[in-house]
Amino acid sequence: MSFLPPPRPALPSYVSRRPYTFHIGASWAAKPHDPFDGKRPSIPFPSDGLIGTWRDNMLAWPKKINTKDPGEDFLYVQAGVSVGVADGVGGWTVSGVDPALFSQALMYHAHRYSRNAWAGEPEIDPTLDYEEREQIEGWEMTPLECLDLAYGGVLREKFVQAGSSTACLINLNASSGILRSATLGDSGYSIIRNSSIIHRQRSLTHYFNCPKQLTKLPTNAGRKFAGACIDSPNEADVYETKLRDGDIVVAYTDGFSDNVFPSEMVAICSLVARTSGSENEQVQAMADRMVDFARQCMRSKRVSPFERAAAREGMFFRGGFCLITLP
């Protein structure tokens, strides 16, 4: 697909083949429009521009959920492997700002920067001279460094006049099996091993339902946005662990986690894993089924994870939201 970078030159014969292979599936669906929210401003990136072209190629990902609209969220998938999700803050609609622009630009720049660095350097022969090693080692950019650079890219985007977004970036090292992540806000991910969740990314919030977020204020904003949350990429939560064969990593915005309980996510993965098909087909089926299940949950009258979390804070909310999942 055209949003992926061109293949790197073949590694010299003394470089070992990377022992880890990652299979990626992606799926998404925008939440149904709430008539009480009014009409969301929609001034998309031009389709013939860099971000617009990349966005359209990303939305051409082969999935079975019958919608291309990601709503206010976006994602990127970078061969190497690096992936990310971002949740545009919907509150900007009352100021006439399309929240999707910030999240799309953030993911575009994260994709752009991660493309220019190894997501895990290759194994090398330690007897090589330094100059020879330097030629093939490349530069492994951490998710935190990538998030910081991507945020700077959004601040320089003239088309994005204002907005905010949460973010979760993940690098998967094909040489060592190391997963590294940087997460800001309530987007996140879970690692499933042998039908159990061994790690679930915690949310970073100012208070309930107000996640930490990257923000761009309008020029000459003045007092109008004095209460806006302006957090730094350096406040992101970073994590590192070594993956094992068969581990499943599910990344999502709060549109998924607000509707689907962790045990239900594990059950979907376990059921799909028992079906026939290649590993690529299975992970795509997991992504599609999780998004479809989240949409069903949002339409039901059952108590959602979001409602339970609100009750613990002494608040009452019905339902949750549904947007992106990426295993």
Side-chain angles (χ1 to χ4, degrees):
M1 298 177 68
S2 57
F3 67 88
L4 295 177
R8 295 185 179 274
L11 295 174
S13 59
Y14 47 72
V15 178
S16 303
R17 179 180 177 85
R18 298 185 182 188
Y20 289 86
T21 301
F22 302 106
H23 306 272
I24 300 177
S27 194
W28 59 86
K31 65 179 179 181
H33 176 66
D34 186 342
F36 294 101
D37 288 342
K39 186 176 181 180
R40 188 187 89 188
S42 181
I43 309 174
F45 288 104
S47 294
D48 57 351
L50 288 175
I51 297 182
T53 300
W54 172 83
R55 173 204 61 211
D56 294 344
N57 286 332
M58 185 68 248
L59 293 177
W61 185 279
K63 63 187 183 72
K64 291 188 177 180
I65 299 297
N66 190 26
T67 176
K68 288 189 175 182
D69 182 14
E72 298 163 356
D73 294 14
F74 216 73
L75 77 166
Y76 79 90
V77 177
Q78 174 62 53
V81 173
S82 177
V83 297
V85 292
D87 178 4
V89 176
W92 281 98
T93 57
V94 298
S95 299
V97 173
D98 184 352
L101 295 181
F102 191 102
S103 60
Q104 289 176 15
L106 184 66
M107 292 293 94
Y108 166 76
H109 286 290
H111 162 269
R112 182 169 67 88
Y113 282 110
S114 66
R115 180 179 58 187
N116 295 324
W118 292 110
E121 60 191 40
E123 294 180 345
I124 59 174
D125 184 346
T127 64
L128 293 175
D129 292 335
Y130 177 79
E131 290 76 11
E132 293 177 300
R133 293 182 60 176
E134 190 178 43
Q135 289 179 4
I136 61 170
E137 277 186 326
W139 169 43
E140 182 172 5
M141 179 185 296
T142 68
L144 183 60
E145 291 170 331
C146 186
L147 181 62
D148 185 48
L149 290 169
Y151 179 44
V154 177
L155 295 180
R156 293 188 296 271
E157 283 291 343
K158 294 182 179 179
F159 200 87
V160 182
Q161 297 182 357
S164 301
S165 178
T166 64
C168 175
L169 306 187
I170 300 172
N171 280 3
L172 302 168
N173 189 312
S175 292
S176 64
I178 297 294
L179 175 149
R180 295 183 176 92
S181 67
T183 306
L184 186 72
D186 53 7
S187 294
Y189 67 98
S190 297
I191 303 175
I192 302 172
R193 177 178 297 162
N194 298 327
S195 299
S196 297
I197 295 177
I198 63 167
H199 175 73
R200 185 171 175 84
Q201 174 60 45
R202 68 187 182 99
S203 296
L204 301 180
T205 62
H206 292 281
Y207 49 86
F208 180 73
N209 207 27
C210 180
K212 288 193 173 185
Q213 55 204 258
L214 302 175
T215 299
K216 181 177 183 178
L217 296 179
T219 305
N220 301 321
R223 287 187 168 184
K224 183 177 179 182
F225 299 97
C229 297
I230 306 177
D231 301 301
S232 166
N234 291 328
E235 297 177 52
D237 195 23
V238 295
Y239 180 75
E240 178 178 320
T241 190
K242 185 176 179 65
L243 298 174
R244 297 180 185 175
D245 182 41
D247 284 354
I248 300 172
V249 181
V250 185
Y252 39 76
T253 63
D254 64 347
F256 178 77
S257 56
D258 281 346
N259 284 284
V260 179
F261 289 99
S263 59
E264 295 170 327
M265 176 180 63
V266 172
I268 292 172
C269 291
S270 297
L271 288 172
V272 174
R274 298 191 189 107
T275 63
S276 59
S278 68
E279 290 174 308
N280 285 330
E281 291 171 336
Q282 287 186 342
V283 295
Q284 184 57 48
M286 290 176 188
D288 286 331
R289 291 196 185 184
M290 281 189 275
V291 169
D292 186 55
F293 183 70
R295 297 171 78 187
Q296 294 178 36
C297 292
M298 193 181 66
R299 291 191 292 265
S300 72
K301 295 183 179 181
R302 73 170 196 163
V303 176
S304 68
F306 180 81
E307 189 176 353
R308 285 192 179 178
R312 288 194 292 269
E313 300 293 329
M315 305 176 187
F316 177 75
F317 288 96
R318 287 292 302 172
F321 309 95
C322 178
L323 280 163
I324 298 177
T325 177
L326 170 69

